[in-house]
Amino acid sequence: MVGTLTSYQNLSRDIPAAISQVAAQPFEAREVEYFTKTIQTIKTVEDFVADRRVFAFAMQAFGLGEMTYAKAFMEKVLNEGISDDDSFANSLSDPRYREFAKAFNFESFGSAATSFDRAQGEVVDKYLRQTLEEGQDNEGVRLALYFERKAPDVTTYLQILAQPAIATVVRTALGIPEATAALDLDKQVEILSAKLDLDEFQSAEGIDNLLKKFTALYDINNPQTTDAGGVGLLFGQSAALGIDTNTMLQIQQLRRT
Protein backbone atom coordinates (compact mmCIF):
# COMPACT_ATOMS: atom_id res chain seq x y z
CA MET A 1 0.00 0.00 0.00
CA VAL A 2 1.46 3.34 -1.07
CA GLY A 3 1.37 5.91 1.72
CA THR A 4 -0.27 9.31 1.41
CA LEU A 5 3.03 11.22 1.52
CA THR A 6 4.56 9.15 -1.29
CA SER A 7 1.41 9.42 -3.43
CA TYR A 8 1.27 13.18 -2.88
CA GLN A 9 4.97 13.70 -3.64
CA ASN A 10 4.81 11.59 -6.80
CA LEU A 11 1.92 13.69 -8.10
CA SER A 12 3.16 17.10 -6.99
CA ARG A 13 6.55 16.49 -8.61
CA ASP A 14 5.09 17.33 -12.05
CA ILE A 15 1.73 19.02 -11.68
CA PRO A 16 1.70 20.42 -15.26
CA ALA A 17 1.99 16.91 -16.72
CA ALA A 18 -0.79 15.66 -14.45
CA ILE A 19 -3.02 18.58 -15.46
CA SER A 20 -2.33 17.87 -19.14
CA GLN A 21 -3.63 14.35 -18.61
CA VAL A 22 -6.80 15.75 -17.04
CA ALA A 23 -7.28 18.18 -19.94
CA ALA A 24 -7.01 15.31 -22.43
CA GLN A 25 -9.92 13.40 -20.91
CA PRO A 26 -12.98 13.56 -23.24
CA PHE A 27 -15.45 14.98 -20.72
CA GLU A 28 -13.08 17.66 -19.41
CA ALA A 29 -12.03 18.59 -22.96
CA ARG A 30 -15.68 19.09 -23.97
CA GLU A 31 -16.45 21.18 -20.90
CA VAL A 32 -13.36 23.35 -21.39
CA GLU A 33 -14.27 23.91 -25.03
CA TYR A 34 -17.86 24.83 -24.18
CA PHE A 35 -16.87 27.20 -21.39
CA THR A 36 -14.19 28.89 -23.50
CA LYS A 37 -16.59 29.48 -26.39
CA THR A 38 -19.58 30.50 -24.30
CA ILE A 39 -18.29 32.59 -21.38
CA GLN A 40 -17.36 35.57 -23.55
CA THR A 41 -20.95 35.76 -24.86
CA ILE A 42 -22.43 36.11 -21.36
CA LYS A 43 -23.08 39.70 -20.34
CA THR A 44 -25.21 39.57 -17.17
CA VAL A 45 -25.30 37.76 -13.86
CA GLU A 46 -28.67 36.28 -14.76
CA ASP A 47 -27.38 34.82 -18.03
CA PHE A 48 -24.29 33.49 -16.27
CA VAL A 49 -26.27 31.60 -13.64
CA ALA A 50 -28.86 30.44 -16.18
CA ASP A 51 -26.30 28.61 -18.34
CA ARG A 52 -26.01 25.39 -16.36
CA ARG A 53 -22.76 24.18 -17.92
CA VAL A 54 -20.94 27.49 -17.71
CA PHE A 55 -22.06 28.13 -14.15
CA ALA A 56 -21.20 24.61 -12.97
CA PHE A 57 -17.80 24.84 -14.66
CA ALA A 58 -17.03 28.14 -12.94
CA MET A 59 -18.18 26.88 -9.56
CA GLN A 60 -16.07 23.75 -9.93
CA ALA A 61 -13.06 25.91 -10.79
CA PHE A 62 -13.26 27.71 -7.46
CA GLY A 63 -13.95 24.60 -5.40
CA LEU A 64 -17.59 25.60 -4.95
CA GLY A 65 -19.19 22.70 -6.75
CA GLU A 66 -21.26 21.84 -3.68
CA MET A 67 -22.87 25.29 -3.96
CA THR A 68 -23.97 25.09 -7.59
CA TYR A 69 -27.57 24.55 -6.46
CA ALA A 70 -27.56 27.85 -4.49
CA LYS A 71 -28.15 30.14 -7.45
CA ALA A 72 -29.87 32.94 -5.50
CA PHE A 73 -26.98 32.93 -3.04
CA MET A 74 -24.39 33.20 -5.81
CA GLU A 75 -26.38 35.87 -7.65
CA LYS A 76 -26.18 37.97 -4.49
CA VAL A 77 -22.43 37.35 -4.31
CA LEU A 78 -21.99 38.50 -7.91
CA ASN A 79 -24.45 41.41 -7.92
CA GLU A 80 -22.90 43.03 -4.85
CA GLY A 81 -19.33 42.29 -5.89
CA ILE A 82 -16.33 43.16 -3.73
CA SER A 83 -15.91 46.94 -4.11
CA ASP A 84 -17.92 47.69 -0.97
CA ASP A 85 -16.37 46.39 2.25
CA ASP A 86 -19.89 45.56 3.43
CA SER A 87 -20.86 43.57 0.35
CA PHE A 88 -22.24 40.06 0.70
CA ALA A 89 -19.08 38.31 -0.52
CA ASN A 90 -16.93 40.36 1.84
CA SER A 91 -19.18 39.42 4.77
CA LEU A 92 -18.56 35.70 4.25
CA SER A 93 -15.65 34.10 6.07
CA ASP A 94 -14.80 31.74 3.21
CA PRO A 95 -12.48 33.60 0.78
CA ARG A 96 -13.59 31.47 -2.19
CA TYR A 97 -16.64 33.70 -2.66
CA ARG A 98 -14.54 36.86 -2.86
CA GLU A 99 -12.25 35.15 -5.35
CA PHE A 100 -15.27 34.13 -7.43
CA ALA A 101 -16.77 37.64 -7.39
CA LYS A 102 -13.40 39.10 -8.34
CA ALA A 103 -13.03 36.77 -11.33
CA PHE A 104 -16.57 37.43 -12.58
CA ASN A 105 -16.76 41.07 -11.58
CA PHE A 106 -20.13 42.09 -13.03
CA GLU A 107 -20.57 44.64 -10.26
CA SER A 108 -17.58 46.70 -11.43
CA PHE A 109 -17.43 45.95 -15.17
CA GLY A 110 -21.00 45.05 -16.15
CA SER A 111 -21.25 43.38 -19.56
CA ALA A 112 -17.46 43.49 -19.98
CA ALA A 113 -16.86 41.31 -16.91
CA THR A 114 -16.33 38.13 -18.92
CA SER A 115 -13.91 39.70 -21.41
CA PHE A 116 -10.92 39.52 -19.06
CA ASP A 117 -8.55 36.57 -18.86
CA ARG A 118 -9.35 36.13 -15.17
CA ALA A 119 -12.88 35.11 -16.27
CA GLN A 120 -11.66 32.95 -19.14
CA GLY A 121 -8.21 31.32 -19.29
CA GLU A 122 -7.49 31.62 -15.59
CA VAL A 123 -10.80 29.93 -14.78
CA VAL A 124 -9.96 27.05 -17.13
CA ASP A 125 -6.61 26.61 -15.35
CA LYS A 126 -8.37 26.56 -11.98
CA TYR A 127 -10.95 24.07 -13.25
CA LEU A 128 -8.31 21.63 -14.44
CA ARG A 129 -6.32 21.89 -11.20
CA GLN A 130 -9.46 21.44 -9.12
CA THR A 131 -10.51 18.46 -11.21
CA LEU A 132 -7.07 16.92 -10.78
CA GLU A 133 -7.37 17.24 -7.01
CA GLU A 134 -10.89 15.88 -6.84
CA GLY A 135 -9.93 12.94 -9.04
CA GLN A 136 -7.58 11.47 -6.43
CA ASP A 137 -8.87 8.31 -4.76
CA ASN A 138 -6.85 9.06 -1.64
CA GLU A 139 -8.62 11.78 0.29
CA GLY A 140 -5.39 12.64 2.10
CA VAL A 141 -3.72 13.37 -1.24
CA ARG A 142 -6.63 15.61 -2.27
CA LEU A 143 -6.34 17.58 0.94
CA ALA A 144 -2.55 17.82 0.66
CA LEU A 145 -2.73 19.14 -2.92
CA TYR A 146 -5.31 21.73 -1.96
CA PHE A 147 -3.29 22.78 1.07
CA GLU A 148 -0.11 23.16 -0.98
CA ARG A 149 -1.96 25.42 -3.42
CA LYS A 150 -3.84 27.60 -0.95
CA ALA A 151 -1.60 27.76 2.12
CA PRO A 152 0.64 30.63 0.88
CA ASP A 153 -2.42 32.91 0.84
CA VAL A 154 -3.17 32.31 4.53
CA THR A 155 -2.18 35.17 6.82
CA THR A 156 -4.58 34.79 9.77
CA TYR A 157 -5.92 31.99 11.95
CA LEU A 158 -9.46 32.88 10.91
CA GLN A 159 -8.55 32.19 7.29
CA ILE A 160 -7.49 28.70 8.33
CA LEU A 161 -10.80 28.10 10.07
CA ALA A 162 -12.82 29.55 7.17
CA GLN A 163 -11.58 26.88 4.76
CA PRO A 164 -12.58 23.39 5.93
CA ALA A 165 -9.88 21.57 3.96
CA ILE A 166 -7.08 23.75 5.29
CA ALA A 167 -8.45 23.52 8.80
CA THR A 168 -8.58 19.72 8.53
CA VAL A 169 -4.96 19.52 7.37
CA VAL A 170 -3.79 21.83 10.16
CA ARG A 171 -5.75 20.06 12.90
CA THR A 172 -4.48 16.68 11.75
CA ALA A 173 -0.87 17.85 11.50
CA LEU A 174 -0.97 19.42 14.96
CA GLY A 175 -2.92 16.61 16.62
CA ILE A 176 -5.89 18.85 17.39
CA PRO A 177 -9.16 16.89 17.67
CA GLU A 178 -11.65 17.53 14.86
CA ALA A 179 -14.29 18.06 17.57
CA THR A 180 -12.73 21.46 18.34
CA ALA A 181 -14.39 22.70 15.13
CA ALA A 182 -17.60 22.98 17.19
CA LEU A 183 -16.05 25.45 19.65
CA ASP A 184 -16.40 29.22 19.50
CA LEU A 185 -14.08 30.82 16.95
CA ASP A 186 -12.15 32.69 19.62
CA LYS A 187 -11.40 29.43 21.40
CA GLN A 188 -10.36 27.75 18.16
CA VAL A 189 -8.01 30.62 17.37
CA GLU A 190 -6.55 30.34 20.87
CA ILE A 191 -5.88 26.62 20.36
CA LEU A 192 -4.30 27.15 16.94
CA SER A 193 -2.13 30.09 17.98
CA ALA A 194 -0.69 28.05 20.85
CA LYS A 195 0.48 25.34 18.45
CA LEU A 196 1.10 27.07 15.13
CA ASP A 197 3.24 30.01 13.98
CA LEU A 198 1.62 31.56 10.90
CA ASP A 199 5.08 32.21 9.44
CA GLU A 200 5.10 28.51 8.51
CA PHE A 201 2.58 29.32 5.78
CA GLN A 202 4.92 31.83 4.18
CA SER A 203 7.78 29.47 3.35
CA ALA A 204 8.01 26.35 1.21
CA GLU A 205 9.86 24.61 4.04
CA GLY A 206 7.13 25.41 6.56
CA ILE A 207 4.38 24.17 4.26
CA ASP A 208 6.37 21.03 3.48
CA ASN A 209 6.88 20.31 7.18
CA LEU A 210 3.16 20.66 7.88
CA LEU A 211 2.31 18.37 4.97
CA LYS A 212 4.75 15.70 6.16
CA LYS A 213 3.14 15.77 9.60
CA PHE A 214 -0.35 15.72 8.08
CA THR A 215 0.27 12.81 5.71
CA ALA A 216 1.95 10.71 8.40
CA LEU A 217 -0.87 11.24 10.89
CA TYR A 218 -3.53 10.88 8.20
CA ASP A 219 -2.31 7.37 7.40
CA ILE A 220 -2.25 6.48 11.09
CA ASN A 221 -5.79 7.79 11.61
CA ASN A 222 -7.14 6.23 8.40
CA PRO A 223 -5.35 2.87 8.00
CA GLN A 224 -8.13 1.29 5.96
CA THR A 225 -8.88 4.23 3.63
CA THR A 226 -5.48 5.50 2.50
CA ASP A 227 -5.95 4.20 -1.05
CA ALA A 228 -9.72 3.95 -1.17
CA GLY A 229 -12.19 6.52 -2.36
CA GLY A 230 -13.71 8.20 0.67
CA VAL A 231 -16.12 10.93 1.56
CA GLY A 232 -14.61 14.25 0.42
CA LEU A 233 -13.97 16.80 3.14
CA LEU A 234 -13.54 19.63 0.69
CA PHE A 235 -15.28 18.66 -2.45
CA GLY A 236 -18.96 18.71 -1.69
CA GLN A 237 -19.64 15.19 -0.44
CA SER A 238 -20.11 16.53 3.08
CA ALA A 239 -21.88 19.84 3.30
CA ALA A 240 -21.03 20.33 6.95
CA LEU A 241 -17.32 20.19 6.17
CA GLY A 242 -17.34 21.64 2.66
CA ILE A 243 -19.41 24.71 3.51
CA ASP A 244 -18.70 26.69 6.64
CA THR A 245 -21.41 27.48 9.19
CA ASN A 246 -21.49 31.17 8.24
CA THR A 247 -22.41 30.28 4.66
CA MET A 248 -25.04 27.73 5.63
CA LEU A 249 -26.79 30.30 7.78
CA GLN A 250 -26.74 32.80 4.92
CA ILE A 251 -28.32 30.23 2.59
CA GLN A 252 -31.13 29.57 5.06
CA GLN A 253 -31.79 33.29 5.42
CA LEU A 254 -32.03 33.74 1.65
CA ARG A 255 -34.45 30.83 1.37
CA ARG A 256 -36.76 32.46 3.90
CA THR A 257 -36.87 35.79 2.08
Coordinates of all heavy atoms in Angstrom, one line a residue, residues 186-245:
D186 N -13.2 32.2 18.8 CA -12.2 32.7 19.6 C -11.4 31.6 20.3 O -10.1 31.6 20.4 CB -12.7 33.6 20.7 CG -13.2 35.0 20.1 OD1 -12.9 35.2 18.9 OD2 -14.0 35.7 20.8
K187 N -12.1 30.6 20.7 CA -11.4 29.4 21.4 C -10.6 28.6 20.4 O -9.5 28.2 20.7 CB -12.5 28.5 22.1 CG -11.8 27.4 22.9 CD -11.0 27.9 24.0 CE -10.4 26.7 24.8 NZ -9.5 27.2 25.8
Q188 N -11.1 28.5 19.2 CA -10.4 27.7 18.2 C -9.1 28.5 17.8 O -8.0 27.9 17.6 CB -11.2 27.6 16.9 CG -12.4 26.6 17.1 CD -13.1 26.3 15.8 OE1 -12.5 25.8 14.9 NE2 -14.4 26.7 15.7
V189 N -9.2 29.8 17.7 CA -8.0 30.6 17.4 C -7.0 30.5 18.5 O -5.8 30.4 18.2 CB -8.4 32.1 17.2 CG1 -7.1 33.0 17.1 CG2 -9.2 32.3 15.9
E190 N -7.5 30.5 19.7 CA -6.6 30.3 20.9 C -5.8 29.0 20.8 O -4.6 29.0 21.1 CB -7.4 30.4 22.2 CG -6.5 30.3 23.4 CD -7.4 30.3 24.7 OE1 -8.5 30.8 24.6 OE2 -7.0 29.7 25.7
I191 N -6.5 27.9 20.5 CA -5.9 26.6 20.4 C -4.8 26.6 19.2 O -3.7 26.1 19.4 CB -6.9 25.5 20.1 CG1 -7.8 25.4 21.4 CG2 -6.3 24.2 19.8 CD1 -9.1 24.5 21.2
L192 N -5.2 27.1 18.1 CA -4.3 27.2 16.9 C -3.1 28.0 17.2 O -1.9 27.6 16.9 CB -5.0 27.7 15.7 CG -6.0 26.8 15.0 CD1 -6.6 27.5 13.8 CD2 -5.3 25.5 14.5
S193 N -3.3 29.2 17.8 CA -2.1 30.1 18.0 C -1.1 29.5 19.0 O 0.1 29.9 18.9 CB -2.6 31.5 18.4 OG -3.3 31.4 19.7
A194 N -1.6 28.7 19.9 CA -0.7 28.1 20.9 C 0.2 27.0 20.2 O 1.2 26.6 20.8 CB -1.5 27.5 22.0
K195 N -0.2 26.4 19.1 CA 0.5 25.3 18.4 C 1.1 25.7 17.1 O 1.9 24.9 16.6 CB -0.5 24.2 18.3 CG -0.9 23.5 19.5 CD -1.9 22.3 19.2 CE -2.2 21.5 20.5 NZ -1.1 20.6 20.8
L196 N 0.7 26.8 16.5 CA 1.1 27.1 15.1 C 1.6 28.5 15.0 O 0.9 29.4 15.3 CB -0.1 26.8 14.2 CG 0.1 27.1 12.7 CD1 1.2 26.2 12.1 CD2 -1.2 27.1 11.9
D197 N 2.7 28.7 14.4 CA 3.2 30.0 14.0 C 2.8 30.2 12.5 O 3.2 29.4 11.6 CB 4.8 30.1 14.1 CG 5.3 31.4 13.9 OD1 4.7 32.3 13.2 OD2 6.5 31.7 14.4
L198 N 2.1 31.3 12.3 CA 1.6 31.6 10.9 C 2.8 31.8 9.9 O 2.5 31.7 8.7 CB 0.7 32.8 10.9 CG -0.7 32.6 11.5 CD1 -1.4 33.9 11.6 CD2 -1.5 31.6 10.6
D199 N 4.0 32.1 10.4 CA 5.1 32.2 9.4 C 5.3 30.9 8.7 O 5.9 31.0 7.6 CB 6.3 32.6 10.2 CG 6.3 34.0 10.7 OD1 5.5 34.8 10.2 OD2 7.1 34.4 11.6
E200 N 4.9 29.8 9.2 CA 5.1 28.5 8.5 C 4.4 28.5 7.2 O 4.8 27.8 6.3 CB 4.6 27.4 9.4 CG 5.5 27.1 10.6 CD 5.1 25.8 11.3 OE1 5.2 24.7 10.6 OE2 4.8 25.8 12.5
F201 N 3.3 29.3 7.0 CA 2.6 29.3 5.8 C 3.3 30.2 4.7 O 2.9 30.1 3.5 CB 1.2 29.9 6.0 CG 0.2 28.9 6.7 CD1 0.3 28.6 8.0 CD2 -0.7 28.3 5.9 CE1 -0.6 27.7 8.6 CE2 -1.6 27.4 6.5 CZ -1.5 27.1 7.8
Q202 N 4.3 30.9 5.1 CA 4.9 31.8 4.2 C 6.2 31.3 3.6 O 7.0 32.0 2.9 CB 5.2 33.2 4.9 CG 3.9 33.8 5.4 CD 2.8 33.9 4.4 OE1 3.0 34.3 3.3 NE2 1.6 33.4 4.8
S203 N 6.6 30.1 3.9 CA 7.8 29.5 3.4 C 7.5 28.1 2.8 O 6.7 27.3 3.4 CB 8.9 29.4 4.4 OG 8.6 28.4 5.4
A204 N 8.2 27.7 1.8 CA 8.0 26.4 1.2 C 8.4 25.3 2.2 O 7.8 24.2 2.3 CB 8.9 26.2 -0.1
E205 N 9.4 25.6 3.0 CA 9.9 24.6 4.0 C 8.8 24.4 5.1 O 8.5 23.3 5.5 CB 11.2 25.1 4.7 CG 11.7 24.1 5.7 CD 13.0 24.6 6.4 OE1 13.4 25.7 6.0 OE2 13.5 23.9 7.2
G206 N 8.2 25.5 5.5 CA 7.1 25.4 6.6 C 5.9 24.6 6.1 O 5.4 23.8 6.8
I207 N 5.5 24.9 4.8 CA 4.4 24.2 4.3 C 4.7 22.7 4.1 O 3.9 21.8 4.4 CB 4.0 24.8 2.9 CG1 3.4 26.2 3.1 CG2 3.0 23.9 2.2 CD1 3.1 27.0 1.9
D208 N 5.9 22.4 3.7 CA 6.4 21.0 3.5 C 6.4 20.3 4.8 O 6.0 19.1 4.9 CB 7.8 21.0 2.8 CG 8.2 19.6 2.5 OD1 7.5 18.9 1.7 OD2 9.3 19.2 3.0
N209 N 6.8 20.9 5.9 CA 6.9 20.3 7.2 C 5.5 20.0 7.7 O 5.2 18.9 8.2 CB 7.6 21.2 8.2 CG 9.1 21.3 8.0 OD1 9.7 20.3 7.4 ND2 9.7 22.3 8.4
L210 N 4.5 20.9 7.5 CA 3.2 20.7 7.9 C 2.6 19.5 7.1 O 1.8 18.7 7.7 CB 2.3 21.9 7.7 CG 2.5 23.0 8.7 CD1 1.8 24.3 8.3 CD2 1.9 22.6 10.1
L211 N 2.9 19.4 5.8 CA 2.3 18.4 5.0 C 2.9 17.0 5.3 O 2.2 16.0 5.3 CB 2.6 18.7 3.5 CG 1.6 19.7 2.9 CD1 2.0 20.0 1.5 CD2 0.2 19.2 2.9
K212 N 4.2 17.0 5.7 CA 4.8 15.7 6.2 C 4.1 15.2 7.4 O 3.8 14.0 7.6 CB 6.3 15.9 6.4 CG 7.1 16.0 5.1 CD 8.5 16.2 5.3 CE 9.3 16.2 4.0 NZ 10.8 16.5 4.2
K213 N 3.8 16.1 8.4 CA 3.1 15.8 9.6 C 1.7 15.3 9.3 O 1.2 14.3 9.8 CB 3.1 17.0 10.6 CG 4.5 17.4 11.1 CD 4.3 18.6 12.0 CE 5.7 19.1 12.5 NZ 5.6 20.3 13.3
F214 N 1.0 16.1 8.4 CA -0.4 15.7 8.1 C -0.4 14.3 7.5 O -1.3 13.5 7.9 CB -0.9 16.8 7.1 CG -2.2 16.3 6.4 CD1 -3.4 16.2 7.1 CD2 -2.1 15.9 5.1 CE1 -4.5 15.7 6.5 CE2 -3.3 15.5 4.4 CZ -4.5 15.3 5.1
T215 N 0.4 14.1 6.4 CA 0.3 12.8 5.7 C 0.6 11.6 6.6 O 0.0 10.6 6.5 CB 1.2 12.8 4.5 OG1 2.5 13.2 4.8 CG2 0.6 13.8 3.4
A216 N 1.6 11.8 7.5 CA 1.9 10.7 8.4 C 0.8 10.4 9.3 O 0.4 9.2 9.5 CB 3.2 11.1 9.2
L217 N 0.2 11.4 9.9 CA -0.9 11.2 10.9 C -2.2 10.8 10.2 O -3.0 10.1 10.8 CB -1.1 12.5 11.7 CG 0.0 12.8 12.7 CD1 -0.2 14.2 13.4 CD2 0.0 11.7 13.8
Y218 N -2.3 11.3 9.0 CA -3.5 10.9 8.2 C -3.5 9.4 8.0 O -4.6 8.7 8.2 CB -3.6 11.6 6.9 CG -4.8 11.2 6.0 CD1 -6.0 11.9 6.2 CD2 -4.8 10.1 5.1 CE1 -7.1 11.5 5.5 CE2 -5.9 9.8 4.4 CZ -7.1 10.4 4.6 OH -8.2 10.1 3.9
D219 N -2.4 8.8 7.6 CA -2.3 7.4 7.4 C -2.5 6.6 8.7 O -3.1 5.5 8.7 CB -1.0 7.0 6.8 CG -0.9 7.4 5.3 OD1 -1.9 7.7 4.7 OD2 0.2 7.3 4.8
I220 N -2.0 7.1 9.8 CA -2.2 6.5 11.1 C -3.7 6.5 11.5 O -4.3 5.5 11.9 CB -1.4 7.2 12.2 CG1 0.1 6.9 12.0 CG2 -1.8 6.7 13.6 CD1 1.0 7.7 12.9
N221 N -4.4 7.6 11.2 CA -5.8 7.8 11.6 C -6.7 7.1 10.6 O -7.9 6.9 11.0 CB -6.1 9.3 11.7 CG -5.4 10.0 12.8 OD1 -5.0 9.4 13.8 ND2 -5.2 11.3 12.6
N222 N -6.3 6.8 9.4 CA -7.1 6.2 8.4 C -6.5 5.0 7.8 O -6.2 5.0 6.5 CB -7.5 7.3 7.3 CG -8.2 8.5 7.9 OD1 -9.4 8.5 8.0 ND2 -7.4 9.5 8.2
P223 N -6.1 4.0 8.5 CA -5.4 2.9 8.0 C -6.1 2.1 6.9 O -5.4 1.4 6.1 CB -5.1 2.0 9.2 CG -6.2 2.4 10.2 CD -6.5 3.8 10.0
Q224 N -7.4 2.1 6.9 CA -8.1 1.3 6.0 C -8.5 2.1 4.7 O -9.1 1.5 3.8 CB -9.4 0.7 6.6 CG -9.1 -0.1 7.8 CD -8.2 -1.3 7.5 OE1 -8.4 -2.0 6.5 NE2 -7.2 -1.6 8.4
T225 N -8.3 3.4 4.7 CA -8.9 4.2 3.6 C -7.8 5.0 2.9 O -8.1 5.8 2.0 CB -9.9 5.2 4.2 OG1 -9.2 6.1 5.2 CG2 -11.1 4.5 4.8
T226 N -6.5 4.7 3.1 CA -5.5 5.5 2.5 C -5.6 5.5 1.0 O -5.4 6.5 0.3 CB -4.1 5.0 2.9 OG1 -4.0 5.1 4.3 CG2 -3.0 5.7 2.3
D227 N -5.9 4.3 0.4 CA -5.9 4.2 -1.0 C -7.4 4.0 -1.6 O -7.6 3.6 -2.7 CB -5.0 3.1 -1.5 CG -3.6 3.4 -1.4 OD1 -3.2 4.5 -1.8 OD2 -2.8 2.6 -0.8
A228 N -8.3 4.2 -0.7 CA -9.7 4.0 -1.2 C -10.4 5.3 -1.3 O -10.1 6.2 -0.6 CB -10.5 3.1 -0.2
G229 N -11.4 5.3 -2.2 CA -12.2 6.5 -2.4 C -13.0 6.7 -1.1 O -13.7 5.8 -0.7
G230 N -13.0 7.9 -0.6 CA -13.7 8.2 0.7 C -14.6 9.4 0.5 O -14.8 9.9 -0.6
V231 N -15.2 9.8 1.6 CA -16.1 10.9 1.6 C -15.3 12.2 1.5 O -14.4 12.4 2.4 CB -17.0 10.9 2.8 CG1 -17.9 12.2 2.8 CG2 -17.9 9.7 2.8
G232 N -15.5 13.1 0.5 CA -14.6 14.2 0.4 C -14.9 15.3 1.5 O -16.0 15.6 1.7
L233 N -13.8 15.8 2.1 CA -14.0 16.8 3.1 C -14.1 18.2 2.5 O -14.8 19.0 3.0 CB -12.7 16.8 4.0 CG -12.6 15.6 5.0 CD1 -11.3 15.8 5.8 CD2 -13.7 15.5 5.9
L234 N -13.5 18.3 1.3 CA -13.5 19.6 0.7 C -14.5 19.7 -0.4 O -15.1 20.7 -0.7 CB -12.1 19.9 0.2 CG -12.0 21.1 -0.8 CD1 -12.3 22.4 -0.1 CD2 -10.6 21.2 -1.4
F235 N -14.7 18.6 -1.1 CA -15.3 18.7 -2.4 C -16.8 18.4 -2.6 O -17.2 17.8 -3.5 CB -14.5 17.7 -3.4 CG -13.0 18.0 -3.3 CD1 -12.1 17.1 -2.7 CD2 -12.5 19.2 -3.7 CE1 -10.8 17.4 -2.6 CE2 -11.2 19.5 -3.6 CZ -10.3 18.6 -3.0
G236 N -17.5 18.7 -1.5 CA -19.0 18.7 -1.7 C -19.7 17.5 -1.3 O -20.9 17.4 -1.3
Q237 N -19.0 16.4 -0.9 CA -19.6 15.2 -0.4 C -20.1 15.3 1.0 O -20.9 14.5 1.4 CB -18.7 14.0 -0.6 CG -17.9 14.0 -1.9 CD -18.3 12.8 -2.7 OE1 -19.0 11.9 -2.3 NE2 -17.9 12.8 -3.9
S238 N -19.6 16.3 1.7 CA -20.1 16.5 3.1 C -20.3 18.0 3.3 O -19.4 18.8 3.4 CB -19.1 16.1 4.1 OG -19.5 16.5 5.4
A239 N -21.6 18.4 3.2 CA -21.9 19.8 3.3 C -21.4 20.5 4.6 O -20.9 21.6 4.6 CB -23.4 20.1 3.2
A240 N -21.4 19.7 5.7 CA -21.0 20.3 6.9 C -19.6 20.7 7.0 O -19.2 21.6 7.6 CB -21.3 19.3 8.1
L241 N -18.8 19.9 6.2 CA -17.3 20.2 6.2 C -16.9 21.0 5.0 O -15.9 21.7 5.0 CB -16.6 18.9 6.2 CG -16.7 18.1 7.5 CD1 -16.1 16.7 7.4 CD2 -15.9 18.8 8.6
G242 N -17.7 20.9 3.9 CA -17.3 21.6 2.7 C -17.8 23.1 2.6 O -17.3 23.9 1.9
I243 N -18.9 23.4 3.4 CA -19.4 24.7 3.5 C -19.4 25.1 5.0 O -19.8 24.4 5.8 CB -20.9 24.8 3.0 CG1 -21.0 24.1 1.6 CG2 -21.4 26.2 3.0 CD1 -22.4 23.9 1.2
D244 N -18.8 26.3 5.2 CA -18.7 26.7 6.6 C -20.1 27.1 7.2 O -21.0 27.3 6.5 CB -17.6 27.8 6.8 CG -18.0 29.1 6.2 OD1 -19.1 29.3 5.8 OD2 -17.1 30.0 6.2
T245 N -20.1 27.2 8.5 CA -21.4 27.5 9.2 C -22.0 28.8 8.8 O -23.2 29.0 8.6 CB -21.2 27.4 10.7 OG1 -20.7 26.2 11.1 CG2 -22.5 27.7 11.4

